[in-house]
Amino acid sequence: MNQSTIPQKSKNQDSSPIKIEHQTESRIQSVDLDNPGFGNVFADHMLNITYKNNQWQQPLIEPFRELSLSPATATIHYGQTVFEGMKAFRGQNGEVKIFRLHDHLNRLNNSCSRMCIPQLDTELLSRALKKLITIDRKWVPEKYGNALYIRPIIFATDASLGVKPAKTYQLLVITSPVGAYYDEGFDPVNLTTTDEYIRATEGGSGYVKTACNYGPTLLPAQKAKEKGFTQILWLDAHEHKYIEEVGTMNIFFKIDGELHTPPLDGSILGGITRDSVIRLASQWDIPVHQRRITINEIFEADHNNKLEEIFGTGTAAVISPVGSIHHNGKTIVTDREQIGPFAQKLYETITGIQYSTLEDTNQWMSSID
Ligand code: COI
């Protein structure tokens, strides 16, 4: 069935504060859950919560459908919107769990604060979200490495051209079975710096999951792709000297047995996978330094044979080995196009926890039932 078709709805049969309208005809037969790509197909239902009269309204789970919006909708003009990205995994015994659900919902509220969007009741949202995943449980892929990506988005719905915080909002949670984010899969990605563009600066919104951190990066990313690079490694806005992040992931360097990653100083996203890596490394007694790192010192560490591994981290990217970094006409090639042993261990540990083959000693997984 076409995803844009507005399906028939059945009556609400649930007495909980979450209203439910079931999809009558599932589209799942037309989807290859073993090879879903990333973010192109969507499960049968979505969660919909509106904000009006100064409060968030009753959550509604309804069939995935297209929206009808006024051309004056504030978000389309001025970008008052935030989003999140998290994943649900199917464990060996069929159980479905969400990775670091509460951390993602807290980060969503932090993003709301920066974007003048009213705070959410994360407990109610967590319950509604688990209900959504329960209803679309069969959409959670079985294949190791695949997951159901959960994308909450909140946007201003006032039909008004004034540049001001809106009075009405819509929160939607859509879900999508996904495989690897990058075309490279788990193979190393190739990064380049740019001195022509910047991503974010202190006092801006670089630490927030909001649309305006992504749209302006499309042109530089396109130019980088034309030159054969996967993504841009962003440098600081003032001196083009300090490493920030990749836009779709945070970045780590393993130098002489220790981990180094840029600090959360307002211009980079506080990644949940970044935090997971820092915690695991600390638990394994690997020193972790969250500090300003110049691009030149990475080249120097490479020159001195101290640079062991480079990898990115993110919900979509998981642990992505970096094969090379290009900067000012010079290139570092790491790992001889292979994933490094530390990145491999992190990947196996994080995915082991996510797919319940390893013990969840940090209590990162939330069961949906
Ligand atoms: C994520 O890792 O979930 C992201 O939001 C990054 C990207 C897909 C926008």
Side-chain angles (χ1 to χ4, degrees):
M1 196 181 77
N2 189 321
Q3 284 190 346
S4 65
T5 307
I6 297 181
Q8 284 193 322
K9 296 168 183 175
S10 64
K11 282 195 189 131
N12 179 27
Q13 294 163 340
D14 199 313
S15 58
S16 73
I18 301 161
K19 199 174 164 215
I20 300 171
E21 291 170 359
H22 286 281
Q23 168 69 284
T24 52
E25 199 184 323
S26 176
R27 285 176 279 99
I28 197 160
Q29 299 306 336
S30 61
V31 177
D32 179 1
L33 290 181
D34 283 349
N35 301 291
F38 191 95
N40 301 316
V41 286
F42 302 97
D44 288 325
H45 296 85
M46 64 183 192
L47 173 64
N48 186 348
I49 312 179
T50 54
Y51 180 91
K52 61 181 183 186
N53 304 328
N54 298 317
Q55 56 186 357
W56 287 103
Q57 307 292 309
Q58 181 186 23
L60 166 67
I61 293 173
E62 62 174 328
F64 182 94
R65 62 174 174 85
E66 292 196 341
L67 304 176
S68 167
L69 294 176
S70 162
T73 300
T75 303
I76 311 172
H77 298 262
Y78 308 125
Q80 196 193 2
T81 177
V82 295
F83 71 94
E84 259 305 319
M86 59 191 123
K87 280 177 176 169
F89 299 87
R90 188 183 292 280
Q92 278 183 326
N93 301 322
E95 70 278 26
V96 172
K97 293 181 181 169
I98 302 172
F99 185 63
R100 303 198 65 173
L101 171 63
H102 295 284
D103 298 301
H104 280 284
L105 296 184
N106 288 336
R107 190 171 68 176
L108 183 63
N109 258 344
N110 283 341
S111 297
C112 286
S113 299
R114 179 64 180 82
M115 298 303 287
C116 284
I117 294 174
Q119 294 286 293
L120 296 143
D121 174 349
T122 54
E123 278 315 308
L124 178 59
L125 182 53
S126 155
R127 261 194 292 139
L129 210 143
K130 286 179 180 179
K131 188 84 195 167
L132 174 72
I133 309 300
T134 303
I135 290 172
D136 279 338
R137 187 186 187 105
K138 60 180 185 288
W139 286 83
V140 183
E142 275 175 18
K143 187 176 160 191
Y144 199 93
N146 292 359
L148 188 69
Y149 188 75
I150 303 169
R151 172 52 65 89
I153 176 168
I154 308 175
F155 55 98
T157 48
D158 285 13
S160 165
L161 298 184
V163 181
K164 57 182 188 298
K167 291 191 167 62
T168 60
Y169 298 87
Q170 190 160 14
L171 179 155
L172 299 175
V173 182
I174 57 173
T175 66
S176 171
V178 295
Y181 180 71
Y182 293 116
D183 293 343
E184 287 85 345
F186 199 47
D187 291 338
V189 295
N190 299 312
L191 306 179
T192 181
T193 61
T194 169
D195 55 12
E196 196 181 356
Y197 300 100
I198 58 158
R199 175 185 173 272
T201 188
E202 296 86 351
S205 60
Y207 68 97
V208 176
K209 280 194 97 64
T210 186
C212 70
N213 290 331
Y214 295 84
T217 68
L218 297 178
L219 177 64
Q222 193 178 48
K223 289 187 174 183
K225 264 218 156 85
E226 281 163 12
K227 292 183 189 151
F229 301 107
T230 320
Q231 285 275 327
I232 290 180
L233 175 61
W234 293 104
L235 301 180
D236 76 282
H238 299 294
E239 300 177 72
H240 281 266
K241 176 172 154 186
Y242 295 101
I243 293 168
E244 301 234 308
E245 59 152 270
V246 181
T248 47
M249 56 185 189
N250 296 111
I251 188 105
F252 283 83
F253 302 90
K254 184 151 178 281
I255 303 173
D256 211 10
E258 306 194 350
L259 267 194
H260 301 257
T261 192
L264 301 181
D265 59 6
S267 59
I268 72 171
L269 187 79
I272 307 281
T273 313
R274 174 187 182 278
D275 180 72
S276 308
V277 165
I278 290 172
R279 288 190 199 206
L280 286 173
S282 306
Q283 288 161 13
W284 297 338
D285 292 327
I286 307 268
V288 184
H289 308 280
Q290 298 182 58
R291 63 173 186 88
R292 299 191 88 192
I293 305 164
T294 65
I295 183 73
N296 285 343
E297 73 177 276
I298 296 303
F299 274 72
E300 242 167 70
D302 182 53
H303 181 74
N304 297 331
N305 287 326
K306 302 268 187 210
L307 180 63
E308 295 163 10
E309 291 182 42
I310 310 175
F311 56 89
T313 63
T315 299
V318 198
I319 304 290
S320 263
V322 173
S324 66
I325 295 180
H326 181 83
H327 172 69
N328 274 354
K330 292 191 199 141
T331 304
I332 300 176
V333 178
T334 61
D335 304 330
R336 310 289 171 268
E337 304 296 319
Q338 301 283 313
I339 178 167
F342 189 71
Q344 179 78 43
K345 180 175 172 183
L346 281 168
Y347 178 81
E348 281 169 10
T349 305
I350 290 176
T351 54
I353 293 167
Q354 291 171 334
Y355 293 94
S356 305
T357 56
L358 291 179
E359 197 186 340
D360 176 21
T361 49
N362 291 294
Q363 272 108 48
W364 283 340
M365 305 306 294
S366 295
S367 187
I368 59 165
D369 304 311

